[in-house]
Amino acid sequence: MRAANHVTGRIGAVDTGAPPRSTPQLIGRDTVVQQLIDCATALTGPAVWLVRGEIGIGRSAVLAALAERVRATGVTVHEVACLPRDHHTAYLLAHRLVTALSPTAALRAVTAEPSAPGTSSPAAARRPDGQPRTDQSHPTDPSQPSHAGQPGPAHHPSHPAHASQPGPDDPGRLLTRQLTRALRTRTRTVVLVDDAQFADPETVDLVRVLAPLLALSAVRLVLGVSPVRPPGSAPRAPRGPSWPFPDDLAGDPVWLPPLTRQEVARLVTHRLRAVPDRDLVAELYRLSAGNPGALAAVLGPAGEPTIGTLIGHAQLRPGAAPPVLPDDDRFVRALAGLGEATWRVAKALSVLEPLGSRTPAILATTTGLSAAAVAGALAELTAAGLVDEAAEPGPAARADTPARRWSFRVPLVAAALRARLGPYERRAVSAAAVRALWEESDRAAPGEGGGQRRDAERRAYLANRIVDAGALVDRSRALSELLFISAQLAPVRPRDAARWLRAAADLTDDPLLRASSLARHAATAYRAGDAREAADAAGAVLRTHGADLSPAARQELTVVRLMALAAAGDMAALGGQHGPASRATEGPSAIAGALTLCLLGHWAQALDLIAATGLGTRPDPVTRHFGALLRDAARLMVGTPAGLYAAVDAPADPSLPPHLAFELTLLQCDGLLALGSVRQAVALLERRGHDTARLPAETRFLWQFLTGSWDEALATARTVMVSRRATARPPVSVLVHAHTSTMLLAHGRPSRARTVLDQARAQPIAAAYLLDAQEAAIALFLGEPALAEEAVRRGLGEARERGHVFGTESLWTALAALQGDGDRPERVLLCLREVDRVATAMASDRSRLRYLRACLGALDRHPELASDLPDGSALADEALTLARTDEQPFELARTLLAVASSGGRARPETESLLREAYEVFGQLGALVWRYRTRTALRDAGLPVPGRRTVTEENERLLATLVTEGLANRQIARALAVSEGSVASRLNRLFHRTGLRSRVELATLMLTTNER
């Protein structure tokens, strides 16, 4: 059974005695902060500690958390920040340290502050090594990095430029005396210096001189250092990444590691207030490499188009390009601060990363820089922590001198640089990459490669570079490469393959090859989920190259265009085909007309057109099978699915192309799963040689929902709803929303369940009545029977108007239950007869099962109907047999509960049925149905298993309902208890957890709930 508790000490868990924090202060850094607390507050050991890490790793956040927590121990904490260009002013940091440690002494020294750049002070004019300073009057450069919201050195309140006059004593000596006095007189103090890489070398030298005294004092320095040289300074000497602080000045540095994948997921949850799915976490982790600054950039405004949020979960939008960092981003500023030559090399490197040891030579060629300049730029990027240099994998790495490769530490930075390449720069760099790869391919021995996955990545990289290179590479070879690579990788990278095929079409002058490539581009874009692109591309091909296509190819492309229009939700364009479609008689035109009518929800008219044109009996196999398939789909909706069931026993037609045969099998499988006929769907796939792993997303969702894989089904549903419209594949696309709402309501999330239905209704969907039964279930859960009956009658009215029968048994069943609460049994009987009629017409076990359960419920409420309905025991036995035959856990558990709750069952049998239902609902995570089953056990005078588990689940369900925004009155109706009972339970929950409000409870549920 699924555990109801995920985090000890939180909702549904054992009381640990300490109230939980609603949100952690610093995700992924608690261990590092505690280590720094131990270092900074120790009475012995090093007095200076370095906190080191790459750009964006979170040094400032760690120092801020350190300051807060050290202050909480009673130790005095001072926070000092260095700013870009502070290194130009001698003893500036020393002056700030004196100000922090001894404000009185600092005031006495105000007339003897160190000189500003450009003065005649000897100390300011020379570096610690005795050489003249070459940057005394470096002007302020607005293009260089600066701390947002902080003044530059020339305007800082404590900047030496504000001194009235230099004193008679040397500033360094005066500050040394002041700092020495401060160190001798202070009690335990911690001084935190952020961005200490901008510190002036004179202060660093002074700290080195005073290191012995500092070690004996009660003062501890914690310096945050990034491996980036100050802007405007000369290239650094090879003194290690902690420049300007040598290793002998401090204790062992404390490195800030990247966040783990799990920590990335937690951070995303807190930023988006939604639980991220695995694909989103994987992509964010890849883009950011665990760097919090990069992750914050992706989750900010620049990344909004790449992330979709739905029903409390965040999804990666399929095909969304990585966000482009703005010019004021920390990574872009750091790169710009390294100089023009390094900036040019970095932009080109963002394209050439996979080329390994050939990269420097290509960089020199494409940037016009010398080999030495390129090597220096690569060294700068590596020293700055922006680029990693490593041994190149593969055969080259086994040579006496291992080949090297350079790659950006954070892939998001590479994406930002690629976006800043000009059109010609992109073409030139890509062309150089293509030529290098072709040369390598020409020299490679037959069969030589780097593994299947690596070969696929290299082929995709080559194809992308060919597309970007355009006319700068050999046109004939580029065309053959794109066609070959797209054919190889289309199944796994359909969106990329569609782009490659579009580019291939532009490289050929052959009208037949161009038409074929564009048609493949449209079909591949549709399979990739890019419906708008597919519809536009297919329409363009049909208009400009229709005469160059064969009739079969033209017909297939027409089908792709119509399906893509529906998937894009462009029902206006699809409706424009309605008039001509209804009058079409020719094969391709008739197929297009029948499909258009089905997509618009006019299944009865589609049947008339198919019968008038004889599509299902044409000699052409493609036309005949399309016609038969559309006929069976339309018959399903109007209540005569015999043809669909017959398709299970029919073998695949060998005259059909393999891809069309597979598509037809999938559409037949959709119909069977929509009926709830899991066994027939399995038989169909096995007979045609397919398995469930190849099912498309909507079909896979139906399979997961019916077979009880609800966690996977919800994940699939979110992906479908974020990337596709409910208009795409009626009725399956509508059932995705209806069944998702069913699962959410079972989990105790009525607000999210209604949101899913509202999202579907906001679109011009066909068969909207399939949502109304679940709309009624939500209304009943919230204690709104009038709204429930309104929804049911609306759905029945729409179905009657359109002549639809499929799915109406759920509406009639719901209406029977609503009528059963009154004193009109004849109305209940009328509804039951309608359910029986629909179940008989659909010949579906699930429809029959719903009829049997409805009869059992009616007999409980109206025993006087016994003369008009079959015997209750016979109904119960048949229901149990049907429920156990088809492996559908939710239907089984509901049947077990319905049979056990009906009258006339022996006590031992009732207990076994209820306990089995309880277990199955637990496996599904259906908290609401578990609660109802517990109630049934108590009503039957039976013990409820697992007292501790019961308490946890009750708390979790209550917290979930509160998180959904339900008022106490609504919760009371949902749980069938009094409002006072709800208030008492909430008070106990708040007292046990230490939470103070519903907002805090909702926040805690968000961060600990996997759903």
Side-chain angles (χ1 to χ4, degrees):
M1 184 182 70
R2 183 180 311 281
N5 160 47
H6 298 286
V7 180
T8 301
R10 298 192 176 183
I11 301 301
V14 180
D15 191 353
T16 60
R21 293 178 303 178
S22 59
T23 57
Q25 292 184 353
L26 200 60
I27 293 175
R29 294 290 183 252
D30 287 337
T31 301
V32 174
V33 172
Q34 187 56 52
Q35 178 185 356
L36 288 170
I37 292 174
D38 296 339
C39 296
T41 58
L43 297 178
T44 60
V48 181
W49 291 89
L50 300 182
V51 180
R52 285 159 51 172
E54 62 186 353
I55 300 172
I57 202 64
R59 296 179 316 281
S60 298
V62 166
L63 291 180
L66 176 64
E68 178 183 350
R69 299 186 194 180
V70 171
R71 284 194 184 100
T73 67
V75 176
T76 301
V77 178
H78 295 292
E79 298 177 72
V80 178
C82 292
L83 304 176
R85 304 189 177 284
D86 278 6
H87 67 292
H88 294 307
T89 305
Y91 297 110
L92 176 57
L93 178 57
H95 176 75
R96 290 174 179 162
L97 292 175
V98 170
T99 302
L101 292 171
S102 183
T104 305
L107 289 174
R108 291 198 302 268
V110 70
T111 59
E113 290 176 337
S115 303
T119 66
S120 58
S121 168
R126 304 190 70 82
R127 301 199 309 254
D129 58 6
Q131 298 299 318
R133 294 176 66 95
T134 60
D135 52 3
Q136 297 175 24
S137 57
H138 196 290
T140 300
D141 184 356
S143 69
Q144 298 297 342
S146 62
H147 289 239
Q150 298 189 43
H155 305 286
H156 196 280
S158 62
H159 196 281
H162 293 275
S164 55
Q165 294 182 12
D169 209 349
D170 180 86
R173 294 178 183 175
L174 180 59
L175 284 169
T176 300
R177 290 198 300 269
Q178 299 293 343
L179 193 55
T180 300
R181 185 180 299 113
L183 292 174
R184 287 175 175 170
T185 58
R186 294 294 299 183
T187 57
R188 293 180 63 192
T189 303
V190 176
V191 180
L192 309 179
V193 182
D194 197 9
D195 283 330
Q197 69 272 9
F198 299 130
D200 58 279
E202 290 79 8
T203 297
V204 176
D205 190 62
L206 177 58
V207 172
R208 177 197 289 273
V209 171
L210 295 178
L213 177 60
L214 190 62
L216 296 175
S217 72
V219 178
R220 297 293 181 263
L221 290 180
V222 180
L223 311 172
V225 182
S226 170
V228 178
R229 66 179 169 90
S233 64
R236 73 185 66 170
R239 300 164 67 181
S242 60
W243 183 93
F245 294 96
D247 292 337
D248 60 354
L249 182 62
D252 293 335
V254 177
W255 286 94
L256 294 183
L259 299 178
T260 65
R261 193 181 297 262
Q262 293 74 19
E263 290 163 349
V264 167
R266 290 175 57 202
L267 194 150
V268 174
T269 299
H270 282 277
R271 285 293 300 271
L272 299 182
R273 312 301 299 168
V275 179
D277 76 342
R278 286 173 293 185
D279 290 341
L280 176 60
V281 172
E283 179 63 8
L284 293 179
Y285 185 74
R286 184 193 70 81
L287 283 175
S288 67
N291 185 293
L295 189 60
V298 180
L299 298 177
E304 287 179 359
T306 68
I307 301 173
T309 302
L310 179 68
I311 55 174
H313 283 73
Q315 308 285 131
L316 180 67
R317 295 188 185 276
V324 177
L325 299 176
D327 290 340
D328 61 350
D329 181 82
R330 71 188 82 194
F331 295 100
V332 178
R333 293 201 316 263
L335 280 163
L338 296 178
E340 175 62 25
T342 305
W343 174 260
R344 287 163 59 190
V345 168
K347 287 200 299 181
L349 178 62
S350 68
V351 175
L352 302 174
E353 285 181 282
L355 295 184
S357 58
R358 297 178 298 279
T359 301
I362 301 176
L363 285 171
T365 300
T366 56
T367 61
L369 298 171
S370 66
V374 169
L378 290 174
E380 278 284 290
L381 291 168
T382 303
L386 295 166
V387 167
D388 288 335
E389 180 182 357
E392 185 175 8
R398 296 192 293 270
D400 293 338
T401 303
R404 313 299 294 174
R405 67 180 302 161
W406 293 264
S407 60
F408 280 90
R409 168 76 184 82
V410 178
L412 183 66
V413 176
L417 289 168
R418 284 194 294 272
R420 285 170 168 78
L421 284 167
Y424 180 75
E425 283 181 299
R426 184 182 299 275
R427 288 198 298 271
V429 175
S430 296
V434 170
R435 287 190 286 268
L437 291 173
W438 281 348
E439 291 173 5
E440 178 187 13
S441 177
D442 294 340
R443 292 194 307 266
E448 182 178 329
Q452 184 175 358
R453 180 175 180 179
R454 186 162 179 250
D455 285 345
E457 292 175 353
R458 291 177 70 84
R459 288 177 183 175
Y461 174 77
L462 172 60
N464 286 328
R465 297 289 72 77
I466 289 174
V467 172
D468 288 344
L472 297 185
V473 295
D474 181 81
R475 186 168 178 154
S476 175
R477 184 168 182 177
L479 173 61
S480 62
E481 292 273 18
L482 288 177
L483 292 176
F484 174 76
I485 295 173
S486 61
Q488 292 291 314
L489 300 184
V492 292
R493 305 184 71 155
R495 195 173 295 269
D496 288 333
R499 178 171 176 257
W500 302 333
L501 286 166
R502 182 67 183 84
D506 293 337
L507 292 173
T508 180
D509 296 324
D510 184 344
L512 290 177
L513 183 56
R514 177 174 173 80
S516 173
S517 299
L518 289 174
R520 288 175 57 194
H521 158 66
T524 307
Y526 176 71
R527 285 194 293 272
D530 196 345
R532 186 73 267 168
E533 172 66 18
D536 293 344
V541 176
L542 289 170
R543 286 192 303 272
T544 59
H545 298 283
D548 299 322
L549 297 171
S550 66
R554 191 163 56 251
Q555 177 172 289
E556 185 177 348
L557 192 60
T558 300
V559 170
V560 168
R561 177 174 178 268
L562 295 174
M563 296 290 291
L565 285 173
D570 193 351
M571 308 310 283
L574 195 62
Q577 307 290 321
H578 181 216
S582 61
R583 297 187 297 272
T585 58
E586 297 299 323
S589 299
I591 288 291
L595 178 58
T596 300
L597 290 169
C598 289
L599 291 173
L600 291 172
H602 304 304
W603 280 281
Q605 295 182 38
L607 276 177
D608 293 340
L609 177 61
I610 293 169
T613 57
L615 283 178
T617 59
R618 295 290 179 91
D620 172 45
V622 174
T623 302
R624 183 175 65 252
H625 279 272
F626 263 121
L629 177 68
L630 293 174
R631 181 192 60 206
D632 292 342
R635 286 178 175 176
L636 167 67
M637 296 303 298
V638 299
T640 55
L644 185 60
Y645 289 124
V648 176
D649 300 322
D653 189 339
S655 63
L656 286 176
H659 70 283
L660 280 183
F662 179 65
E663 292 292 337
L664 293 174
T665 299
L666 288 180
L667 292 175
Q668 291 168 340
C669 187
D670 281 348
L672 292 171
L673 291 176
L675 286 166
S677 302
V678 175
R679 285 182 289 110
Q680 289 92 332
V682 172
L684 174 65
L685 292 174
E686 290 178 349
R687 183 169 285 106
R688 305 286 173 82
H690 306 302
D691 56 38
T692 57
R694 295 188 62 190
L695 297 177
E698 290 92 343
T699 311
R700 187 167 64 252
F701 166 82
L702 290 179
W703 177 273
Q704 292 165 340
F705 169 74
L706 293 173
T707 58
S709 301
W710 278 17
D711 285 346
E712 292 81 359
L714 283 171
T716 303
R718 290 190 294 266
T719 300
V720 170
M721 289 187 286
V722 164
S723 60
R724 298 174 178 86
R725 291 183 174 269
T727 57
R729 295 167 58 190
V732 174
S733 52
V734 183
L735 292 177
V736 170
H737 289 259
H739 293 335
T740 300
S741 180
T742 297
M743 291 186 288
L744 290 171
L745 183 60
H747 289 156
R749 298 193 175 278
S751 297
R752 293 186 184 184
R754 184 164 277 168
T755 297
V756 169
L757 299 181
D758 291 342
Q759 185 199 47
R761 292 188 186 281
Q763 307 170 47
I765 57 174
Y769 72 93
L770 294 174
L771 305 173
D772 286 314
Q774 188 56 30
E775 186 78 51
I778 297 171
L780 281 176
F781 181 81
L782 298 176
E784 301 167 343
L787 290 179
E789 185 167 354
E790 179 183 342
V792 169
R793 294 192 180 279
R794 179 180 64 234
L796 288 172
E798 179 190 342
R800 186 183 305 109
E801 179 182 353
R802 288 177 171 263
H804 298 166
V805 176
F806 170 77
T808 55
E809 75 275 9
S810 297
L811 293 167
W812 285 113
T813 300
L815 186 59
L818 288 167
Q819 298 291 341
D821 292 336
D823 55 356
R824 302 291 297 272
E826 66 278 6
R827 295 186 179 180
V828 177
L829 185 60
L830 178 63
C831 293
L832 292 177
R833 286 173 177 168
E834 288 295 327
V835 178
D836 187 25
R837 178 184 64 82
V838 174
T840 302
M842 302 307 296
S844 163
D845 288 348
R846 187 180 62 183
S847 299
R848 177 66 180 174
L849 190 58
R850 289 175 177 173
Y851 166 70
L852 296 173
R853 289 203 304 261
C855 289
L856 288 172
L859 287 173
D860 280 345
R861 290 187 294 270
H862 297 284
E864 62 270 24
L865 293 177
S867 59
D868 298 300
L869 296 174
D871 177 69
S873 296
L875 290 171
D877 292 341
E878 184 184 358
L880 289 175
T881 300
L882 276 179
R884 296 189 188 281
T885 299
D886 224 356
E887 297 179 358
Q888 300 183 40
F890 187 52
E891 294 294 334
L892 171 61
R894 291 188 63 183
T895 303
L896 292 168
L897 178 60
V899 171
S901 301
S902 62
R905 313 304 295 184
R907 181 182 176 89
E909 185 182 4
T910 298
E911 182 172 3
S912 64
L913 292 174
L914 288 175
R915 290 191 183 281
E916 184 181 357
Y918 193 65
E919 182 69 20
V920 176
F921 284 135
Q923 293 169 359
L924 295 172
L927 292 177
V928 170
W929 287 96
R930 289 267 288 186
Y931 178 85
R932 291 172 179 172
T933 309
R934 283 196 296 273
T935 302
L937 282 166
R938 293 191 182 99
D939 291 344
L942 298 170
V944 179
R947 180 177 179 181
R948 179 172 176 175
T949 301
V950 168
T951 302
E952 293 174 358
E953 286 194 3
N954 283 337
E955 279 193 353
R956 192 163 191 81
L957 178 57
L958 178 62
T960 301
L961 295 174
V962 170
T963 303
E964 286 288 285
L966 270 62
N968 284 6
R969 173 180 51 82
Q970 293 172 308
I971 296 174
R973 291 178 178 176
L975 301 182
V977 296
S978 66
E979 290 188 49
S981 176
V982 172
S984 298
R985 294 182 189 186
L986 272 176
N987 288 335
R988 288 196 299 270
L989 179 62
F990 287 148
H991 177 74
R992 188 186 69 76
T993 59
L995 299 172
R996 294 170 294 178
S997 68
R998 290 173 178 251
V999 174
E1000 288 187 2
L1001 178 60
T1003 300
L1004 181 58
M1005 288 295 293
L1006 173 68
T1007 57
T1008 60
N1009 191 8
E1010 292 180 355
R1011 295 192 185 89

